[in-house]
């Protein structure tokens, strides 16, 4: 191709584009520059046909120039390797570096490569867009070449048969084709003229040739007609074999049968065959087969849509269509389950024993976007659906655009080993099955009837799904009953009396209701999903077929009436179930505890088979609560939803309909409704449906979620709010609201050291019990809705009322006590307590690892202000990062002691008179209040957090409520600290008497001070009092660190004696006195360990051993003589402080005279 030809070709292309190409060139000036360079810098001969390009001339030019260059003395002087080493060039470039012909050719190569690279990089999209067109042209060219070869072959065969092969002007040495496939080659002009003359002569005798040609065409027409007749004749028999193969030979293949039948009918009504009168009977057979095919398609379509087939997607099929289908399931109720097996639509098609846990987890995970796949195979409880799709629930466009091959796709979609006596195919993939059936209807010309046929059957089919789920629920309950694991109703539950106290237990009794509703919603959601897929497939099929487009006023709204009808029926069925469970008309039933009338007033062990029908008289029951005996599962299927609830679910769970059950169902219904709305909007978006039209938004049936919210807002919430406030206030007004609840059987246990489970006080139990339903409703109601804010306000009011009474109770217990004064003083004593390991263990026991970690970091786990938190963290940061736990505890202990220095001067006048401590009753009340407040705060915080994520459900709406709960925890921590400090003050008050005891100066015998024995008994009794009132954890925290403080108090006693302030004037401690001090330490160690030897104690063996050994060493220095003391001081200088050594050297002991000058 020449340069001018290239320019003409570009111009003609632009003209054919009607100006579009010119505009494209104007928009890309770089293409203009590239074409200019190709035209001006590249030789025209390089654009010729590669088969006609002469390369020899170019090679000769390059070699000739190289020889001339060598002859001039410039070639051959330097080796190729040397040139390559010097310049870093290739061998060819190095040899021809001065060859002008080579350089010119190399420059033209660079221009062409630059143009190619520019087109590939910057115009990749334009190149890709032409791939389809180039492929189409190539395919058409190949087809044309094949047809030409076939025609040439036929002409050659005719020539051979007629013996006139030499008369063909295309054969010979002149103008010939170069063979069957070769290109035309222009030969000698004289030879061409000779053969032209021969052709003219042959034309005079061509009459017989035309006759034979016409005869051939006539024969071909007859053969074609016979082939068509044979196809029509074999169609009925082949159709029957495909639809219903011999027993056990294969499944029904309706797709292949429809392909065969549509071809036969099209042939039957063609112009040449339609005139054959003898085909009348065959036409009747074909029409009969067509009617049968339509019946099979309608029935199969119903099976796919209504979950009787298309449920067992094989793992290999999940990656079909280029990986578009995903195996994970994104949505709970729309396509959330797997199949109940092939033909799983039958009643009792699978084992439903695992349905409880599967759908309980589904309901609990309300906020998760990444749902889990339902159970596969048999045993999903009717939870059937199709595969979920990446990016949404509708079918991806790439799948819809792919062409449907009825025969191949059907073979891939059929279930393995699906052989049935019914001529109905069993499909594995519902989406592919719907596409196959839609294409079959389109080929049979019945796609327009799809909406009418489905609309006629949707009511009956949806009712059939309800009946199937009722039968499965009944079978599950019967199976559990026969296995002896029947779930008891509320009548068999004990504890937590009162209506609201039973709400938590009712969740277990309502499990059968929740599982049945979840199965029903999943089944309904799967039906809606498949109907939506069918609508999407039908709309796409109509929009891609010009013939079908003209038959629909609005193709984007096809199947809308079916979807709307199905939604109305589904909403009605769900509401029927809910109405039967709620019984909103009977408001008095709300005050009951959920037990049926025949179970009231009967203890748990007298119910069921043990009552023998004597206690409960069932002769005057209401019809809606009668326990009707139903013999068979078939009878169960005939019941309506309300009768099934009354006669089966309530009758077998010993429950009654109550409006409070609305909260049990609200979450699942809300999730299902939300997913249904999203699916409808997504379908309208992908199909281009007008969402602003009146028909799209019309709907006469009230939504189930709207009905449920109306019942909750109108009937349930006012009752719950009133009960929460009144119940809490009535409990707070009781005289024993905050009194300990002692278990009489506590000391009857064989092992009294075991962990004691102590009940919360009456007020805390009431707060937890009566606010429980409101917290449950908090997680089931939409955030920020009309019902949410008032609910939070009522909860906050109840907690604030509780806090006001708690504050009064704390004030009553702490009034006048020295422990409260130490906590209230403006020091960091309270914060330093939170640095102790025992406080971290306390937080972990009540609030888990998170709070324990926060306490370990410092700053107070209950600090509500940032200043307090930063203060505690700064103190924690003062510790050496490489210090061990023991060293940190020692450092925290020293920080605590600095706040207790006024308590260590035992010689003050009237010491102990102002140390007002708690008696046993007051200590028990304080421990009970600490345990109850911490426990109820932990429980309320847990209720405020979602079960799936563990985080607060809201930030702003419940922030004040969370702060109120934090205040409860703050009071609880304060009372725990109060108990710990009070025990510390009681200990120091008792041990302060040792320094004035006469036993220290006794010479006749070793006698322990009486206060030591009193302290041991007091520690044991206080431990029992705190444990029975507040539990092991509060007792462990109250007695924590005494293993460090008791040795400290013994050492302080020795210091006072060394100062000469404790004993009588001029009295010297005797060896018996030193032994009495040493034995006092041993006795107190034994008594303290015995008092803390219960389960979950915070006793620290390492700290206890180190502290008591240190105090024993300090006491032993009293009995040393001066030389021994000097030696000990030199060897253990760092064990005690310089002040302690000065006191020891100044002390007059039983074996030495004090002299401070001897201090080394």
């Amino acid at each position: 191709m020449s340069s001018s030809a290239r320019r003409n070709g570009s111009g003609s292309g632009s003209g054919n584009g009607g100006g579009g190409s010119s505009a494209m060139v104007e928009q890309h000036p770089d293409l203009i520059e590239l074409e200019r360079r190709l035209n001006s810098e590249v030789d025209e001969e390089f654009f010729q046909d590669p088969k006609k390009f002469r390369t020899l001339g170019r090679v000769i030019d390059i070699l000739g120039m190289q020889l001339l260059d060598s002859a001039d003395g410039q070639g051959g002087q330097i080796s190729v390797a040397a040139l390559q080493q010097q310049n870093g060039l290739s061998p060819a470039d190095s040899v021809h570096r001065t060859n002008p012909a080579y350089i010119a050719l190399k420059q033209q190569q660079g221009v062409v490569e630059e143009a190619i690279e520019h087109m590939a990089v910057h115009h990749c999209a334009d190149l890709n867009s032409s791939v389809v067109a180039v492929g189409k042209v190539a395919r058409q060219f190949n087809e044309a070449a094949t047809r030409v070869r076939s025609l040439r072959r036929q002409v050659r065969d005719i020539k051979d048969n007629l013996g006139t092969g030499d008369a063909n002007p295309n054969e010979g040495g002149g103008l010939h084709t170069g063979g069957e496939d070769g290109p035309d080659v222009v030969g000698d002009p004289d030879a061409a003229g000779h053969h032209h003359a021969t052709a003219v002569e042959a034309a005079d005798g061509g009459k017989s040739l035309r006759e034979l040609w016409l005869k051939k065409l006539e024969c071909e027409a007859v053969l074609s007609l016979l082939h068509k007749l044979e196809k029509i004749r074999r169609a009925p028999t082949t159709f029957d074999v495909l639809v219903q193969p011999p027993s056990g030979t294969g499944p029904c293949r309706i797709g292949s049968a429809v392909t065969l039948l549509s071809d036969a009918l099209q042939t039957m009504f063609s112009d040449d065959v339609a005139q054959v009168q003898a085909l009348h009977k065959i036409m009747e057979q074909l029409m009969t087969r067509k009617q049968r095919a339509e019946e099979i398609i309608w029935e199969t379509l119903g099976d796919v849509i209504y979950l009787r087939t298309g449920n067992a997607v094989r793992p290999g099929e999940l990656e079909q269509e280029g990986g578009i289908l995903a195996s994970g399931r994104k949505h709970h109720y729309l396509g959330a389950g797997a199949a109940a097996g092939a033909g799983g639509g039958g009643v009792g098609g699978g084992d439903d024993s695992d349905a409880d846990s599967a759908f309980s987890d589904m309901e609990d995970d309300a906020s998760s976007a990444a749902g889990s796949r339902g159970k596969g195979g048999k045993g999903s409880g009717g939870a059937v659906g199709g595969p979920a799709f990446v990016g949404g629930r509708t079918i991806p466009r790439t799948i819809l655009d792919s062409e449907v091959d009825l025969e191949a796709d059907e073979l891939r979609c059929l279930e393995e080993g699906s052989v049935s006596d019914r001529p109905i195919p069993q499909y594995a993939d519902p989406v592919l099955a719907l596409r196959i059936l839609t294409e079959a209807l389109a080929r049979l010309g019945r796609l327009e009837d799809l909406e009418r046929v489905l609309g006629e059957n949707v009511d009956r089919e949806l009712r059939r799904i309800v009946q199937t789920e009722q039968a499965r629920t009944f079978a599950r309950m019967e199976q559990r009953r026969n296995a002896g694991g029947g779930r008891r109703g509320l009548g068999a539950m004990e504890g937590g009396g009162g209506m609201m106290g039973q709400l938590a237990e009712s969740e277990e009794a309502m499990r059968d209701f929740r599982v049945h509703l979840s199965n029903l919603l999943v089944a309904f959601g799967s039906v809606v999903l498949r109907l939506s897929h069918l609508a999407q497939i039908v709309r796409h099929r109509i929009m891609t077929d010009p013939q079908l487009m003209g038959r629909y006023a609005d193709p984007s709204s096809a199947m809308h009436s079916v979807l709307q009808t199905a939604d109305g029926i589904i909403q009605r069925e769900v509401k029927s179930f809910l109405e039967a469970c709620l019984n909103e008309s009977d408001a008095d039933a709300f005050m009951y505890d959920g037990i049926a009338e025949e179970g009231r007033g009967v203890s748990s062990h007298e119910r069921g088979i043990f009552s023998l029908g004597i206690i409960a008289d069932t002769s005057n029951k209401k019809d809606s609560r009668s326990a009707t005996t139903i013999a068979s599962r078939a009878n169960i299927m005939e019941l309506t939803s309300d009768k099934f609830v009354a006669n089966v679910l309530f009758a077998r769970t010993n429950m009654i309909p109550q409006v409070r059950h609305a909260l049990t169902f609200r979450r699942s219904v809300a999730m299902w409704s939300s997913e249904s709305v999203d699916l409808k909007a997504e379908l309208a978006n992908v199909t281009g449906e007008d969402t602003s039209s009146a028909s799209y938004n019309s709907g006469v049936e009230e939504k189930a979620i709207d009905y449920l919210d109306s019942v909750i807002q109108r009937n349930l919430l006012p009752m719950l709010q009133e009960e929460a406030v009144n119940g809490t206030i009535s409990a707070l007004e009781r005289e024993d609201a905050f009194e300990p609840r002692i278990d009489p059987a506590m000391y009857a246990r064989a092992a009294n050291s075991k962990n004691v489970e102590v009940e919360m006080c009456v007020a805390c139990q009431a707060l937890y019990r009566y606010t429980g339903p409101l917290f449950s409703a908090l997680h089931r109601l939409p955030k920020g809705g009309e019902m949410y804010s008032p609910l939070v306000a009522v909860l906050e009011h109840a907690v604030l009322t509780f806090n006001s009474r708690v504050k009064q109770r704390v004030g009553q217990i702490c009034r006048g006590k020295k422990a409260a004064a130490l906590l209230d003083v403006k020091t960091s004593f309270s914060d330093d307590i939170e640095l102790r390991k025992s406080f971290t263990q306390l937080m972990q026991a009540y609030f888990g690892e998170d709070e324990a970690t926060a306490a370990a970091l410092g700053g107070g786990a209950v600090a509500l202000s940032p200043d307090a938190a930063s203060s505690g963290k700064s103190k924690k940061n003062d510790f050496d990062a490489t210090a061990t736990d023991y060293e940190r505890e020692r450092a925290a202990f020293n920080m605590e002691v600095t706040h207790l220095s006024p308590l260590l001067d035992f010689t003050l006048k009237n010491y102990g008179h102002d140390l007002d401590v708690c008696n046993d009753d007051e200590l028990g009340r304080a421990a009970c209040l600490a345990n109850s407040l911490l426990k109820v705060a932990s429980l309320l915080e847990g209720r405020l957090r979602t079960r799936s994520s563990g985080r607060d459900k809201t930030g702003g709406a419940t922030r004040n409520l969370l702060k109120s709960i934090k205040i409860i925890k703050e009071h609880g921590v304060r009372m725990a600290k109060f108990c710990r400090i009070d025990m510390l003050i009681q200990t120091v008050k008792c041990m302060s008497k040792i320094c004035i005891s006469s036993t220290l100066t006794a010479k006749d015998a070793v006698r322990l001070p009486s206060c030591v024995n009193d302290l041991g008994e007091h520690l044991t009794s206080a431990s029992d009092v705190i444990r029975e009132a507040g539990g092991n954890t509060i007792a462990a925290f109250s007695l924590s660190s005494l293993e460090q403080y008791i040795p400290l108090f013994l050492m302080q006693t020795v210091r006072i004696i060394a100062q000469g302030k404790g004993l009588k004037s001029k009295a010297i401690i005797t060896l018996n006195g030193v032994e009495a001090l040493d034995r006092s330490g041993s006795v107190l160690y034994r008594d303290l360990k015995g008092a803390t030897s219960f389960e979950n104690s915070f006793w620290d063996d390492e700290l206890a051993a180190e502290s008591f050994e240190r105090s024993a060493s300090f006491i032993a220095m009293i009995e040393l003589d001066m030389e021994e003391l000097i030696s000990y001081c030199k060897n253990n200088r760092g064990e005690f402080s310089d002040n302690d050594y000065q006191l020891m050297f100044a002390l007059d002991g039983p074996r030495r005279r004090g002299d401070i000058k001897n201090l080394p």
Side-chain angles (χ1 to χ4, degrees), residues 949-1116:
S949 64
R951 299 179 179 179
D952 296 338
K953 185 179 180 183
T954 63
T958 59
R959 185 176 291 113
N960 292 332
L961 177 60
L962 183 60
K963 287 183 179 179
S964 301
I965 297 175
K966 292 288 187 182
I967 292 175
I968 298 177
K969 181 164 66 172
E970 183 182 11
H971 287 306
V973 172
R974 175 180 172 82
M975 293 309 301
K977 293 177 181 178
F978 175 82
C979 292
R980 181 176 184 269
I981 298 175
D982 188 80
M983 284 300 304
L984 180 61
I985 295 175
Q986 293 187 35
T987 302
V988 70
K989 186 177 180 180
C990 187
M991 293 187 65
S992 64
K993 301 175 183 179
I994 298 178
C995 62
I996 60 175
S997 175
S998 60
T999 59
L1000 301 182
T1001 58
K1003 298 181 180 180
D1004 55 341
V1006 177
R1007 294 187 294 272
L1008 291 179
S1010 59
C1011 59
V1012 172
N1013 296 324
D1014 295 341
L1015 178 59
E1017 296 176 359
H1018 177 69
L1019 291 176
T1020 302
S1021 63
S1023 174
D1024 293 338
V1025 169
I1026 298 175
R1027 286 181 61 217
E1028 69 184 13
N1032 283 16
T1033 304
I1034 297 297
F1037 182 72
S1038 301
L1039 299 175
S1040 64
S1041 301
L1042 285 181
E1043 64 269 19
Q1044 292 178 283
Y1045 278 106
I1046 289 178
L1048 175 67
F1049 298 153
L1050 287 174
M1051 294 175 63
Q1052 185 64 20
T1053 299
V1054 174
R1055 294 187 184 100
I1056 293 174
I1057 294 175
Q1059 294 173 359
K1061 295 180 180 180
L1063 300 177
K1064 294 181 180 181
S1065 178
K1066 298 182 180 180
I1068 300 176
I1069 186 173
T1070 62
L1071 289 176
N1072 291 334
V1074 175
E1075 182 67 20
L1077 283 176
D1078 186 67
R1079 290 186 183 182
S1080 297
S1082 302
V1083 171
L1084 290 176
Y1085 176 88
R1086 180 197 62 196
D1087 294 341
L1088 179 61
K1089 189 168 185 179
T1092 57
S1093 61
F1094 49 82
E1095 190 175 353
N1096 299 327
S1097 173
F1098 296 165
W1099 172 271
D1100 193 324
D1101 286 325
E1102 184 179 5
L1103 286 175
E1106 191 273 342
S1107 299
F1108 276 96
E1109 287 178 1
R1110 190 165 182 268
S1111 66
S1113 300
F1114 194 69
I1115 294 172

Side-chain angles (χ1 to χ4, degrees), residues 746 749 752-758 1027-1028 1030-1032 1095:
M746 174 182 177
R749 301 184 180 96
N752 192 27
S753 63
K754 295 295 183 181
N755 189 28
V756 179
E757 292 294 338
V758 179
R1027 286 181 61 217
E1028 69 184 13
N1032 283 16
E1095 190 175 353

